[in-house]
Amino acid sequence: MAEVAAPGAVKKKLGILISGRGSNMMALVTASRSPDSAYEVALVASDKPDAPGLAWAKENGVPTFAHSPKNIPKPEYEAKIDSALRAAGVEAIALAGYMRLLSDEFVAKWRGKIVNIHPSLLPLYKGLDTHRRALVAGDSHAGCSVHIVTEELDGGEVLGQAEVRIDARDTPESLAERVLAEEHRLYPQVLQEWLCR
Ligand code: GRF
């Protein structure tokens, strides 16, 4: 059963980090606008000032922040992201297609407060190219996982998963499309449960 925030409960302020099209961010923002949502999106931040998802967030009234890490040391770049998140009052962070590895220092500062969505049934296929790897392995199912972010790449506690059956005619692209539809359903649901627990 879906968790429902207590009536009148103060909503948690969520920050979302993206690098690209931001379809999972859109699903999270859309779900946050339900009266029962346990969270509101206080900031969408990106390492890519021209990320298409940022434009969508702006058009939809969500505060945004962008800073390119090019030509500056990583700690300086992450300090800017961290300051923007804290200035917006962010209490938890959702990574949604954020294509940059967070440093151990950043993860430590936000320990237990960052979640990510990954397009595989973890612990299988950490890292990139997950759909092709599932097809090459001859798996019967693929899927997606929402997990806590730790210093280990795609290695933190798994909070929820959704499975998709692999069809003999699947290509990495066709599989990615079906898994993505599940991501959009899974991420808001798991985030809601996690923030209510
Ligand atoms: C998704 O497949 C997500 O699982 C992975 O990166 C992709 C991001 O897509 N981490 P989008 O930007 O949310 O559309």
Side-chain angles (χ1 to χ4, degrees):
M1 208 184 84
E3 295 288 340
V4 171
V10 177
K11 292 181 190 288
K12 288 257 171 66
K13 287 187 189 292
L14 183 75
I16 305 178
L17 299 188
I18 66 167
S19 295
R21 68 188 163 186
S23 69
N24 278 288
M25 174 273 295
M26 294 174 199
L28 294 180
V29 169
T30 303
S32 77
R33 294 188 166 161
S34 141
D36 293 337
S37 174
Y39 67 93
E40 61 186 327
V41 180
L43 189 70
V44 173
S46 182
D47 58 327
K48 297 265 168 51
D50 58 354
L54 272 186
W56 183 93
K58 275 184 208 152
E59 279 161 22
N60 285 274
V62 183
T64 60
F65 175 81
H67 198 88
S68 169
K70 276 187 199 152
N71 307 322
I72 57 169
K74 186 164 184 165
E76 201 178 309
Y77 159 72
E78 284 191 338
K80 289 192 187 301
I81 296 282
D82 184 73
S83 305
L85 292 165
R86 292 187 194 277
V90 164
E91 298 164 277
I93 300 172
L95 306 184
Y98 183 67
M99 299 307 287
R100 204 156 283 283
L101 283 180
L102 295 171
S103 69
D104 290 358
E105 291 72 26
F106 188 96
V107 171
K109 278 196 211 163
W110 290 89
R111 179 155 326 276
K113 295 180 180 161
I114 312 176
V115 289
N116 179 43
I117 185 141
H118 182 73
S120 79
L121 295 171
L122 290 172
L124 292 175
Y125 313 127
K126 296 174 180 178
L128 298 174
D129 210 15
T130 56
H131 304 304
R132 183 179 306 280
R133 287 156 71 198
L135 291 175
V136 168
D139 293 351
S140 61
H141 288 79
C144 49
S145 308
V146 177
H147 67 94
I148 301 271
V149 171
T150 63
E151 287 82 352
E152 187 197 337
L153 176 68
D154 301 323
E157 179 196 354
V158 172
L159 300 172
Q161 292 185 313
E163 283 191 0
V164 164
R165 203 157 52 82
I166 294 180
D167 186 272
R169 287 159 304 178
D170 263 324
T171 61
E173 293 73 25
S174 66
L175 187 54
E177 194 178 316
R178 292 206 312 289
V179 171
L180 190 65
E182 285 301 308
E183 294 182 34
H184 297 161
R185 194 187 56 73
L186 181 74
Y187 209 178
Q189 181 196 318
V190 172
L191 191 70
Q192 175 82 4
E193 288 164 2
W194 178 60
L195 292 174
C196 286
R197 80 182 189 183

mmCIF file of all heavy atoms in Angstrom, residues 126-164:
data_model
loop_
_atom_site.group_PDB
_atom_site.id
_atom_site.type_symbol
_atom_site.label_atom_id
_atom_site.label_comp_id
_atom_site.label_asym_id
_atom_site.label_seq_id
_atom_site.Cartn_x
_atom_site.Cartn_y
_atom_site.Cartn_z
ATOM 1 N N LYS A 126 26.178 -3.164 -11.987
ATOM 2 C CA LYS A 126 26.495 -1.819 -11.510
ATOM 3 C C LYS A 126 27.180 -1.063 -12.637
ATOM 4 O O LYS A 126 27.775 -1.686 -13.516
ATOM 5 C CB LYS A 126 27.422 -1.904 -10.287
ATOM 6 C CG LYS A 126 26.742 -2.596 -9.110
ATOM 7 C CD LYS A 126 27.685 -2.819 -7.956
ATOM 8 C CE LYS A 126 26.935 -3.511 -6.822
ATOM 9 N NZ LYS A 126 27.783 -3.821 -5.673
ATOM 10 N N GLY A 127 27.119 0.237 -12.625
ATOM 11 C CA GLY A 127 27.807 1.019 -13.657
ATOM 12 C C GLY A 127 26.960 1.207 -14.900
ATOM 13 O O GLY A 127 25.734 1.224 -14.833
ATOM 14 N N LEU A 128 27.636 1.306 -16.052
ATOM 15 C CA LEU A 128 26.958 1.702 -17.295
ATOM 16 C C LEU A 128 26.565 0.501 -18.159
ATOM 17 O O LEU A 128 26.933 -0.628 -17.861
ATOM 18 C CB LEU A 128 27.890 2.628 -18.109
ATOM 19 C CG LEU A 128 28.263 3.951 -17.414
ATOM 20 C CD1 LEU A 128 29.303 4.695 -18.245
ATOM 21 C CD2 LEU A 128 27.033 4.824 -17.169
ATOM 22 N N ASP A 129 25.801 0.779 -19.211
ATOM 23 C CA ASP A 129 25.496 -0.202 -20.259
ATOM 24 C C ASP A 129 24.724 -1.412 -19.718
ATOM 25 O O ASP A 129 24.923 -2.546 -20.163
ATOM 26 C CB ASP A 129 26.822 -0.651 -20.901
ATOM 27 C CG ASP A 129 26.654 -1.030 -22.364
ATOM 28 O OD1 ASP A 129 25.605 -0.693 -22.954
ATOM 29 O OD2 ASP A 129 27.558 -1.684 -22.895
ATOM 30 N N THR A 130 23.841 -1.165 -18.775
ATOM 31 C CA THR A 130 23.179 -2.256 -18.040
ATOM 32 C C THR A 130 22.292 -3.120 -18.934
ATOM 33 O O THR A 130 22.258 -4.340 -18.781
ATOM 34 C CB THR A 130 22.320 -1.664 -16.907
ATOM 35 O OG1 THR A 130 21.407 -0.720 -17.477
ATOM 36 C CG2 THR A 130 23.173 -0.972 -15.866
ATOM 37 N N HIS A 131 21.564 -2.490 -19.861
ATOM 38 C CA HIS A 131 20.601 -3.269 -20.661
ATOM 39 C C HIS A 131 21.319 -4.208 -21.628
ATOM 40 O O HIS A 131 20.940 -5.365 -21.779
ATOM 41 C CB HIS A 131 19.658 -2.318 -21.408
ATOM 42 C CG HIS A 131 18.942 -1.381 -20.473
ATOM 43 N ND1 HIS A 131 18.184 -1.841 -19.429
ATOM 44 C CD2 HIS A 131 18.916 -0.041 -20.392
ATOM 45 C CE1 HIS A 131 17.696 -0.806 -18.750
ATOM 46 N NE2 HIS A 131 18.137 0.294 -19.322
ATOM 47 N N ARG A 132 22.377 -3.713 -22.255
ATOM 48 C CA ARG A 132 23.151 -4.575 -23.156
ATOM 49 C C ARG A 132 23.737 -5.755 -22.369
ATOM 50 O O ARG A 132 23.710 -6.900 -22.832
ATOM 51 C CB ARG A 132 24.285 -3.769 -23.825
ATOM 52 C CG ARG A 132 25.098 -4.560 -24.842
ATOM 53 C CD ARG A 132 26.175 -3.707 -25.481
ATOM 54 N NE ARG A 132 25.629 -2.500 -26.062
ATOM 55 C CZ ARG A 132 25.023 -2.449 -27.242
ATOM 56 N NH1 ARG A 132 24.907 -3.537 -27.972
ATOM 57 N NH2 ARG A 132 24.548 -1.316 -27.693
ATOM 58 N N ARG A 133 24.226 -5.487 -21.173
ATOM 59 C CA ARG A 133 24.851 -6.557 -20.374
ATOM 60 C C ARG A 133 23.816 -7.613 -19.984
ATOM 61 O O ARG A 133 24.108 -8.809 -19.989
ATOM 62 C CB ARG A 133 25.536 -5.943 -19.146
ATOM 63 C CG ARG A 133 26.819 -5.190 -19.542
ATOM 64 C CD ARG A 133 27.185 -4.128 -18.533
ATOM 65 N NE ARG A 133 27.666 -4.641 -17.284
ATOM 66 C CZ ARG A 133 27.722 -3.924 -16.150
ATOM 67 N NH1 ARG A 133 27.326 -2.676 -16.136
ATOM 68 N NH2 ARG A 133 28.187 -4.466 -15.065
ATOM 69 N N ALA A 134 22.588 -7.177 -19.672
ATOM 70 C CA ALA A 134 21.534 -8.145 -19.313
ATOM 71 C C ALA A 134 21.180 -9.012 -20.524
ATOM 72 O O ALA A 134 20.958 -10.224 -20.395
ATOM 73 C CB ALA A 134 20.308 -7.407 -18.799
ATOM 74 N N LEU A 135 21.155 -8.404 -21.716
ATOM 75 C CA LEU A 135 20.825 -9.163 -22.928
ATOM 76 C C LEU A 135 21.944 -10.154 -23.260
ATOM 77 O O LEU A 135 21.676 -11.322 -23.577
ATOM 78 C CB LEU A 135 20.603 -8.201 -24.110
ATOM 79 C CG LEU A 135 19.336 -7.336 -24.026
ATOM 80 C CD1 LEU A 135 19.286 -6.344 -25.188
ATOM 81 C CD2 LEU A 135 18.077 -8.194 -24.008
ATOM 82 N N VAL A 136 23.183 -9.704 -23.173
ATOM 83 C CA VAL A 136 24.328 -10.579 -23.484
ATOM 84 C C VAL A 136 24.361 -11.771 -22.526
ATOM 85 O O VAL A 136 24.673 -12.896 -22.918
ATOM 86 C CB VAL A 136 25.656 -9.770 -23.421
ATOM 87 C CG1 VAL A 136 26.863 -10.692 -23.435
ATOM 88 C CG2 VAL A 136 25.735 -8.783 -24.578
ATOM 89 N N ALA A 137 23.968 -11.535 -21.285
ATOM 90 C CA ALA A 137 23.989 -12.621 -20.283
ATOM 91 C C ALA A 137 22.835 -13.599 -20.487
ATOM 92 O O ALA A 137 22.805 -14.662 -19.866
ATOM 93 C CB ALA A 137 23.932 -12.025 -18.883
ATOM 94 N N GLY A 138 21.867 -13.250 -21.336
ATOM 95 C CA GLY A 138 20.724 -14.127 -21.562
ATOM 96 C C GLY A 138 19.737 -14.128 -20.401
ATOM 97 O O GLY A 138 19.003 -15.108 -20.196
ATOM 98 N N ASP A 139 19.690 -13.034 -19.658
ATOM 99 C CA ASP A 139 18.778 -12.959 -18.507
ATOM 100 C C ASP A 139 17.319 -13.010 -18.960
ATOM 101 O O ASP A 139 16.981 -12.533 -20.048
ATOM 102 C CB ASP A 139 19.004 -11.645 -17.733
ATOM 103 C CG ASP A 139 20.370 -11.598 -17.067
ATOM 104 O OD1 ASP A 139 21.059 -12.639 -17.064
ATOM 105 O OD2 ASP A 139 20.752 -10.514 -16.580
ATOM 106 N N SER A 140 16.455 -13.540 -18.092
ATOM 107 C CA SER A 140 15.026 -13.579 -18.419
ATOM 108 C C SER A 140 14.349 -12.268 -18.029
ATOM 109 O O SER A 140 13.313 -11.909 -18.567
ATOM 110 C CB SER A 140 14.348 -14.740 -17.689
ATOM 111 O OG SER A 140 14.474 -14.557 -16.290
ATOM 112 N N HIS A 141 14.934 -11.551 -17.058
ATOM 113 C CA HIS A 141 14.339 -10.304 -16.589
ATOM 114 C C HIS A 141 15.402 -9.216 -16.450
ATOM 115 O O HIS A 141 16.556 -9.515 -16.130
ATOM 116 C CB HIS A 141 13.686 -10.498 -15.215
ATOM 117 C CG HIS A 141 12.427 -11.291 -15.286
ATOM 118 N ND1 HIS A 141 12.421 -12.658 -15.399
ATOM 119 C CD2 HIS A 141 11.125 -10.898 -15.277
ATOM 120 C CE1 HIS A 141 11.177 -13.086 -15.464
ATOM 121 N NE2 HIS A 141 10.358 -12.047 -15.389
ATOM 122 N N ALA A 142 14.983 -7.987 -16.675
ATOM 123 C CA ALA A 142 15.809 -6.819 -16.352
ATOM 124 C C ALA A 142 14.981 -5.981 -15.390
ATOM 125 O O ALA A 142 13.959 -6.453 -14.891
ATOM 126 C CB ALA A 142 16.139 -6.050 -17.620
ATOM 127 N N GLY A 143 15.416 -4.760 -15.126
ATOM 128 C CA GLY A 143 14.612 -3.938 -14.228
ATOM 129 C C GLY A 143 15.378 -2.742 -13.719
ATOM 130 O O GLY A 143 16.398 -2.329 -14.306
ATOM 131 N N CYS A 144 14.880 -2.184 -12.631
ATOM 132 C CA CYS A 144 15.499 -0.991 -12.054
ATOM 133 C C CYS A 144 15.451 -1.088 -10.536
ATOM 134 O O CYS A 144 14.638 -1.831 -9.977
ATOM 135 C CB CYS A 144 14.787 0.271 -12.531
ATOM 136 S SG CYS A 144 12.996 0.214 -12.386
ATOM 137 N N SER A 145 16.346 -0.345 -9.896
ATOM 138 C CA SER A 145 16.476 -0.378 -8.442
ATOM 139 C C SER A 145 16.621 1.042 -7.913
ATOM 140 O O SER A 145 17.331 1.865 -8.514
ATOM 141 C CB SER A 145 17.740 -1.135 -8.020
ATOM 142 O OG SER A 145 17.809 -2.412 -8.623
ATOM 143 N N VAL A 146 15.988 1.311 -6.788
ATOM 144 C CA VAL A 146 16.241 2.553 -6.054
ATOM 145 C C VAL A 146 17.069 2.167 -4.840
ATOM 146 O O VAL A 146 16.723 1.215 -4.124
ATOM 147 C CB VAL A 146 14.926 3.236 -5.626
ATOM 148 C CG1 VAL A 146 15.220 4.484 -4.792
ATOM 149 C CG2 VAL A 146 14.086 3.595 -6.848
ATOM 150 N N HIS A 147 18.173 2.858 -4.641
ATOM 151 C CA HIS A 147 19.076 2.484 -3.540
ATOM 152 C C HIS A 147 19.657 3.716 -2.860
ATOM 153 O O HIS A 147 19.717 4.801 -3.450
ATOM 154 C CB HIS A 147 20.207 1.588 -4.067
ATOM 155 C CG HIS A 147 21.147 2.294 -5.006
ATOM 156 N ND1 HIS A 147 22.316 2.883 -4.593
ATOM 157 C CD2 HIS A 147 21.068 2.533 -6.338
ATOM 158 C CE1 HIS A 147 22.920 3.439 -5.635
ATOM 159 N NE2 HIS A 147 22.182 3.243 -6.714
ATOM 160 N N ILE A 148 20.093 3.493 -1.620
ATOM 161 C CA ILE A 148 20.809 4.532 -0.874
ATOM 162 C C ILE A 148 22.200 4.687 -1.496
ATOM 163 O O ILE A 148 22.817 3.693 -1.888
ATOM 164 C CB ILE A 148 20.975 4.110 0.612
ATOM 165 C CG1 ILE A 148 19.602 3.875 1.267
ATOM 166 C CG2 ILE A 148 21.834 5.091 1.381
ATOM 167 C CD1 ILE A 148 18.959 5.069 1.894
ATOM 168 N N VAL A 149 22.653 5.919 -1.593
ATOM 169 C CA VAL A 149 23.983 6.166 -2.158
ATOM 170 C C VAL A 149 25.034 6.114 -1.046
ATOM 171 O O VAL A 149 24.896 6.771 -0.015
ATOM 172 C CB VAL A 149 24.017 7.534 -2.873
ATOM 173 C CG1 VAL A 149 25.438 7.915 -3.277
ATOM 174 C CG2 VAL A 149 23.096 7.500 -4.093
ATOM 175 N N THR A 150 26.051 5.285 -1.299
ATOM 176 C CA THR A 150 27.212 5.223 -0.397
ATOM 177 C C THR A 150 28.462 5.485 -1.244
ATOM 178 O O THR A 150 28.348 5.754 -2.449
ATOM 179 C CB THR A 150 27.340 3.825 0.253
ATOM 180 O OG1 THR A 150 27.583 2.871 -0.796
ATOM 181 C CG2 THR A 150 26.096 3.445 1.026
ATOM 182 N N GLU A 151 29.616 5.323 -0.631
ATOM 183 C CA GLU A 151 30.866 5.557 -1.370
ATOM 184 C C GLU A 151 31.059 4.506 -2.463
ATOM 185 O O GLU A 151 31.805 4.717 -3.417
ATOM 186 C CB GLU A 151 32.074 5.523 -0.416
ATOM 187 C CG GLU A 151 32.194 6.748 0.493
ATOM 188 C CD GLU A 151 31.309 6.682 1.740
ATOM 189 O OE1 GLU A 151 30.469 5.758 1.873
ATOM 190 O OE2 GLU A 151 31.462 7.579 2.588
ATOM 191 N N GLU A 152 30.415 3.344 -2.330
ATOM 192 C CA GLU A 152 30.583 2.279 -3.326
ATOM 193 C C GLU A 152 29.611 2.490 -4.484
ATOM 194 O O GLU A 152 28.396 2.625 -4.259
ATOM 195 C CB GLU A 152 30.299 0.925 -2.669
ATOM 196 C CG GLU A 152 30.618 -0.250 -3.574
ATOM 197 C CD GLU A 152 29.959 -1.548 -3.090
ATOM 198 O OE1 GLU A 152 29.652 -1.649 -1.899
ATOM 199 O OE2 GLU A 152 29.749 -2.431 -3.936
ATOM 200 N N LEU A 153 30.086 2.515 -5.702
ATOM 201 C CA LEU A 153 29.239 2.782 -6.873
ATOM 202 C C LEU A 153 28.052 1.814 -6.924
ATOM 203 O O LEU A 153 28.241 0.591 -6.949
ATOM 204 C CB LEU A 153 30.076 2.651 -8.155
ATOM 205 C CG LEU A 153 29.304 2.812 -9.470
ATOM 206 C CD1 LEU A 153 28.822 4.235 -9.658
ATOM 207 C CD2 LEU A 153 30.143 2.360 -10.654
ATOM 208 N N ASP A 154 26.852 2.355 -6.928
ATOM 209 C CA ASP A 154 25.603 1.582 -7.017
ATOM 210 C C ASP A 154 25.552 0.475 -5.960
ATOM 211 O O ASP A 154 24.960 -0.585 -6.181
ATOM 212 C CB ASP A 154 25.440 0.975 -8.430
ATOM 213 C CG ASP A 154 25.417 2.054 -9.502
ATOM 214 O OD1 ASP A 154 24.849 3.123 -9.247
ATOM 215 O OD2 ASP A 154 25.973 1.823 -10.591
ATOM 216 N N GLY A 155 26.160 0.738 -4.804
ATOM 217 C CA GLY A 155 26.343 -0.334 -3.817
ATOM 218 C C GLY A 155 25.538 -0.232 -2.535
ATOM 219 O O GLY A 155 25.592 -1.140 -1.715
ATOM 220 N N GLY A 156 24.787 0.846 -2.317
ATOM 221 C CA GLY A 156 24.082 1.007 -1.038
ATOM 222 C C GLY A 156 22.815 0.160 -0.945
ATOM 223 O O GLY A 156 22.399 -0.490 -1.926
ATOM 224 N N GLU A 157 22.199 0.184 0.231
ATOM 225 C CA GLU A 157 20.978 -0.597 0.487
ATOM 226 C C GLU A 157 19.930 -0.378 -0.598
ATOM 227 O O GLU A 157 19.621 0.759 -0.962
ATOM 228 C CB GLU A 157 20.391 -0.161 1.841
ATOM 229 C CG GLU A 157 19.112 -0.887 2.219
ATOM 230 C CD GLU A 157 18.338 -0.197 3.355
ATOM 231 O OE1 GLU A 157 18.853 0.782 3.938
ATOM 232 O OE2 GLU A 157 17.221 -0.635 3.642
ATOM 233 N N VAL A 158 19.385 -1.482 -1.100
ATOM 234 C CA VAL A 158 18.328 -1.389 -2.112
ATOM 235 C C VAL A 158 16.988 -1.180 -1.400
ATOM 236 O O VAL A 158 16.603 -1.958 -0.527
ATOM 237 C CB VAL A 158 18.299 -2.659 -2.996
ATOM 238 C CG1 VAL A 158 17.082 -2.644 -3.919
ATOM 239 C CG2 VAL A 158 19.584 -2.755 -3.828
ATOM 240 N N LEU A 159 16.296 -0.122 -1.793
ATOM 241 C CA LEU A 159 15.013 0.218 -1.137
ATOM 242 C C LEU A 159 13.812 -0.333 -1.902
ATOM 243 O O LEU A 159 12.744 -0.514 -1.318
ATOM 244 C CB LEU A 159 14.878 1.745 -1.037
ATOM 245 C CG LEU A 159 15.969 2.467 -0.244
ATOM 246 C CD1 LEU A 159 15.824 3.977 -0.401
ATOM 247 C CD2 LEU A 159 15.895 2.080 1.229
ATOM 248 N N GLY A 160 13.990 -0.572 -3.193
ATOM 249 C CA GLY A 160 12.879 -1.103 -3.979
ATOM 250 C C GLY A 160 13.323 -1.416 -5.401
ATOM 251 O O GLY A 160 14.290 -0.828 -5.896
ATOM 252 N N GLN A 161 12.640 -2.388 -6.014
ATOM 253 C CA GLN A 161 12.997 -2.781 -7.389
ATOM 254 C C GLN A 161 11.727 -3.052 -8.192
ATOM 255 O O GLN A 161 10.683 -3.391 -7.625
ATOM 256 C CB GLN A 161 13.820 -4.079 -7.378
ATOM 257 C CG GLN A 161 15.194 -3.885 -6.761
ATOM 258 C CD GLN A 161 16.074 -5.111 -6.854
ATOM 259 O OE1 GLN A 161 15.622 -6.208 -6.549
ATOM 260 N NE2 GLN A 161 17.312 -4.923 -7.269
ATOM 261 N N ALA A 162 11.834 -2.919 -9.504
ATOM 262 C CA ALA A 162 10.752 -3.320 -10.401
ATOM 263 C C ALA A 162 11.365 -4.165 -11.509
ATOM 264 O O ALA A 162 12.457 -3.859 -12.007
ATOM 265 C CB ALA A 162 10.062 -2.097 -10.986
ATOM 266 N N GLU A 163 10.672 -5.235 -11.886
ATOM 267 C CA GLU A 163 11.188 -6.160 -12.908
ATOM 268 C C GLU A 163 10.462 -5.971 -14.224
ATOM 269 O O GLU A 163 9.276 -5.645 -14.250
ATOM 270 C CB GLU A 163 10.959 -7.611 -12.464
ATOM 271 C CG GLU A 163 11.924 -8.088 -11.424
ATOM 272 C CD GLU A 163 11.842 -9.596 -11.217
ATOM 273 O OE1 GLU A 163 11.030 -10.267 -11.897
ATOM 274 O OE2 GLU A 163 12.597 -10.097 -10.380
ATOM 275 N N VAL A 164 11.170 -6.246 -15.303
ATOM 276 C CA VAL A 164 10.609 -6.208 -16.656
ATOM 277 C C VAL A 164 11.047 -7.500 -17.345
ATOM 278 O O VAL A 164 12.224 -7.865 -17.270
ATOM 279 C CB VAL A 164 11.178 -4.974 -17.411
ATOM 280 C CG1 VAL A 164 10.956 -5.075 -18.894
ATOM 281 C CG2 VAL A 164 10.578 -3.685 -16.861
#
